[in-house]
Amino acid sequence: MIFEITHPCEDFDQFANEKLGRAFSVIDRLKMGRIGSRRMIIKSFSSGFWPLKNNLQDILYGNNELRPDGIILYGTNGGKRMGWVIPYRELIIFDSDDFSVHAQGLVIKFKKNRNYSENKTFIRIMMQKRLEYFGQFEMP
């Protein structure tokens, strides 16, 4: 689900905590190394991302935050900020000409430039956490 979080939003915090679990503690953050990506340039996005739409030609930036049961993808467009809550069970990532995040029928594509190269370690951590999440379920 997408929220506009330009201003503090209690609904967003409550929804994210219910769906993804509470944010990692300081000790967990130190053990993991990092729980957030550096910012990446958004190349394109689905029409469902209404907080990012405007008529200006600003550069759009996005970054990810890990949670125990999913990620939050943040996007900024000038003065607006949005948060997209994505549980691991819905998260699909493609790494081809662009780096894209798919979930809930929506997609955000990021440019593969220097910012993407700096985030490769974070992406590996994110995918490892996703595998650990699915490892807790037994296959029939």
Side-chain angles (χ1 to χ4, degrees), residues 83-137:
W84 184 19
V85 177
I86 309 171
Y88 284 133
R89 66 181 179 273
E90 298 174 3
L91 177 65
I92 300 170
I93 293 179
F94 290 104
D95 193 3
S96 58
D97 295 338
D98 304 314
F99 173 71
S100 59
V101 176
H102 300 252
Q104 304 160 354
L106 301 170
V107 62
I108 287 187
K109 293 183 179 183
F110 296 98
K111 286 186 178 180
K112 279 186 147 180
N113 57 6
R114 182 179 59 87
N115 296 348
Y116 169 77
S117 299
E118 292 174 353
N119 281 312
K120 282 185 178 179
T121 303
F122 173 79
I123 293 168
R124 283 189 202 105
I125 292 170
M126 180 174 63
M127 296 310 295
Q128 182 61 40
K129 291 292 178 189
R130 184 174 183 264
L131 287 173
E132 289 172 10
Y133 172 80
F134 284 116
Q136 69 185 345
F137 303 107

Side-chain angles (χ1 to χ4, degrees), residues 22-67:
R22 299 191 79 66
F24 288 106
S25 67
V26 175
I27 294 170
D28 291 334
R29 291 177 189 206
L30 292 172
K31 288 178 185 177
M32 292 170 59
R34 45 194 282 204
I35 62 152
S37 69
R38 292 183 174 91
R39 71 180 190 172
M40 297 182 282
I41 296 174
I42 296 174
K43 183 176 180 181
S44 63
F45 53 89
S46 301
S47 60
F49 291 103
W50 52 271
L52 294 180
K53 292 182 183 178
N54 73 8
N55 296 330
L56 302 174
Q57 294 299 319
D58 290 342
I59 296 175
L60 305 175
Y61 292 102
N63 64 313
N64 301 312
E65 174 191 343
L66 290 177
R67 290 286 183 102

